Amino acid sequence: MAPGNSEFPLPGFNIDERLWDQNSLLGRFKHYLWVTDPRTVFTPTSKLYKAKQLVEDYRAGVLPPGVTKENLIYAKKLYESSFHPDSGELQNVIGRMSCQVPGGMILTGAMLQWYKTNLAVVFWQWMNQSFNALVNYTNRNANSEITTTQITVAYVSATSSALAVSLILKSYLAKAASPFLQRYVPFAAVASANMVNIPLMRQRELANGVMMFDEAGNEMVTSKAAAAKGITQVVTSRIVMAAPGMTLLPVVMEYLEKKKWMQKIKPLHGPIQIMGVGCCLLFMTPFACSIFNQRCAITSTTLKSLDSKAYDSLIKKTDGKPPEVLYFNKGL
């Protein structure tokens, strides 16, 4: 556990507390707008480790000479955007949420632009699910380890489901629907694949449960019901994150592509879609992450009804006096 506020060198500044109220949607949105800043993707690794060291020194009650509160806040931003909250390990750059805008805009824009041939559908869905699998693994609850075999199964299953949905819908809509409706094939594939990819990539949590903590951060019990709740919220957030770019842009492009000036710049249609998706993701990435609190809560009463085995363990551990609310990291 980190030291309390009174033990930190700067009175009133707890580096482990978030800067905005996480009990409100606006507060969570401000936090994720700050921590998913795509500019942090380009920060050198050496600078990230220096930020981590500064955060750890401050936790230990050490404030290097010349370091200001603003320096600490920036170090906190780099630390929280690049290191896993459970393990403290540096996350791979592609899997970080701060990479959702640059990575997601390229892949989503490409899926929306090049969807008319089976080869294009297969290639871009495969690329997108490879990206998603890495993001899902990187942002899992790191207290629940997953084997290489399980990662492989999750990756193959999610990719296969996305390809199957894409090709089936493409084949059906090509005969039964207008070219406009065919533009929505990528979104249907992405939504269905998220429902497969995320649970499979985090199947260890569903099988063994996730560790829950009391208000003070003390370990209590593991719960499969908590894992299911957290993963369901993550799936919902990911679909919401993708929805505006993948549902509104087809309407916009269908309208624009009829214009004479757009017909003269066909090679730029792809880049235009990619930039459009990027604009959507700049807002939707922090918004989708903020729909649910990352520090997910479950009451002991709910635990009793959904996971009696975990509840019995909780009663035994707390001598019959369980905390009213338990918390766990749901992941992103």
Side-chain angles (χ1 to χ4, degrees):
M1 291 297 295
N5 282 14
S6 60
E7 298 178 34
F8 285 119
L10 290 179
F13 181 63
N14 184 337
I15 203 163
D16 293 311
E17 288 184 354
R18 294 191 169 176
L19 302 178
W20 297 275
D21 178 18
Q22 296 300 286
N23 292 319
S24 71
L25 178 63
L26 180 60
R28 294 194 296 271
F29 176 75
K30 288 180 178 179
H31 169 75
Y32 286 111
L33 185 65
W34 179 68
V35 85
T36 62
D37 183 348
R39 293 174 297 180
T40 62
V41 170
F42 305 102
T43 304
T45 301
S46 58
K47 191 172 182 178
L48 295 178
Y49 276 110
K50 286 181 180 178
K52 180 183 181 183
Q53 188 62 54
L54 181 55
V55 169
E56 291 176 343
D57 287 346
Y58 188 79
R59 283 174 175 166
V62 177
L63 184 65
V67 173
T68 65
K69 183 177 180 180
E70 288 70 27
N71 297 145
L72 288 169
I73 289 176
Y74 183 63
K76 174 182 171 69
K77 175 179 182 176
L78 293 181
Y79 177 75
E80 293 187 3
S81 68
S82 306
F83 292 86
H84 198 283
D86 293 330
S87 66
E89 296 179 354
L90 181 66
Q91 298 173 314
N92 67 80
V93 65
I94 297 176
R96 298 174 198 165
M97 274 297 159
S98 52
C99 194
Q100 274 293 311
V101 174
M105 65 187 281
I106 293 172
L107 293 169
T108 304
M111 285 189 293
L112 291 174
Q113 179 62 28
W114 296 291
Y115 63 92
K116 294 181 180 180
T117 68
N118 288 340
L119 180 61
V121 169
V122 169
F123 178 75
W124 288 112
Q125 285 293 339
W126 169 68
M127 288 290 290
N128 186 58
Q129 287 313 311
S130 298
F131 176 72
N132 284 344
L134 190 55
V135 172
N136 295 337
Y137 175 75
T138 301
N139 293 282
R140 73 199 185 285
N141 182 313
N143 291 319
S144 302
E145 287 304 318
I146 184 170
T147 66
T148 302
T149 300
Q150 291 170 326
I151 292 173
T152 303
V153 170
Y155 170 69
V156 172
S157 300
T159 304
S160 300
S161 69
L163 294 178
V165 171
S166 297
L167 294 174
I168 291 172
L169 279 177
K170 182 179 180 302
S171 175
Y172 173 76
L173 292 177
K175 301 173 184 177
S178 66
F180 172 67
L181 286 179
Q182 293 176 43
R183 289 179 179 270
Y184 287 96
V185 170
F187 177 63
V190 167
S192 63
N194 271 326
M195 296 177 191
V196 175
N197 195 323
I198 297 172
L200 282 175
M201 192 58 73
R202 298 174 61 177
Q203 60 187 280
R204 196 70 174 265
E205 297 173 41
L206 293 170
N208 301 331
V210 294
M211 177 58 68
M212 297 190 296
F213 304 83
D214 63 12
E215 184 68 40
N218 301 309
E219 290 188 356
M220 291 286 104
V221 294
T222 58
S223 169
K224 297 178 182 179
K229 178 180 180 179
I231 290 171
T232 299
Q233 291 183 351
V234 170
V235 170
T236 302
S237 295
R238 294 290 185 81
I239 293 174
V240 170
M241 187 185 298
M246 300 192 80
T247 57
L248 296 179
L249 273 179
V251 178
V252 174
M253 291 303 294
E254 181 74 9
Y255 172 76
L256 290 179
E257 286 177 1
K258 296 176 182 177
K259 302 294 183 181
K260 289 184 179 180
W261 62 271
M262 273 291 280
Q263 293 173 9
K264 294 178 181 178
I265 55 169
K266 285 187 178 181
L268 296 179
H269 288 190
I272 289 172
Q273 293 230 59
I274 289 171
M275 294 305 296
V277 173
C279 292
C280 290
L281 287 177
L282 276 173
F283 173 81
M284 289 308 302
T285 298
F287 176 75
C289 288
S290 64
I291 294 174
F292 305 104
N293 199 330
Q294 186 174 1
R295 189 190 186 211
C296 197
I298 186 169
T299 65
S300 53
T301 303
T302 301
L303 185 67
K304 182 179 181 180
S305 61
L306 296 180
D307 194 341
S308 58
K309 184 177 179 180
Y311 181 77
D312 291 341
S313 298
L314 179 65
I315 291 296
K316 185 180 296 185
K317 184 178 180 68
T318 58
D319 296 324
K321 299 177 181 179
E324 290 186 10
V325 183
L326 298 165
Y327 302 92
F328 63 96
N329 173 23
K330 73 171 178 63
L332 288 174

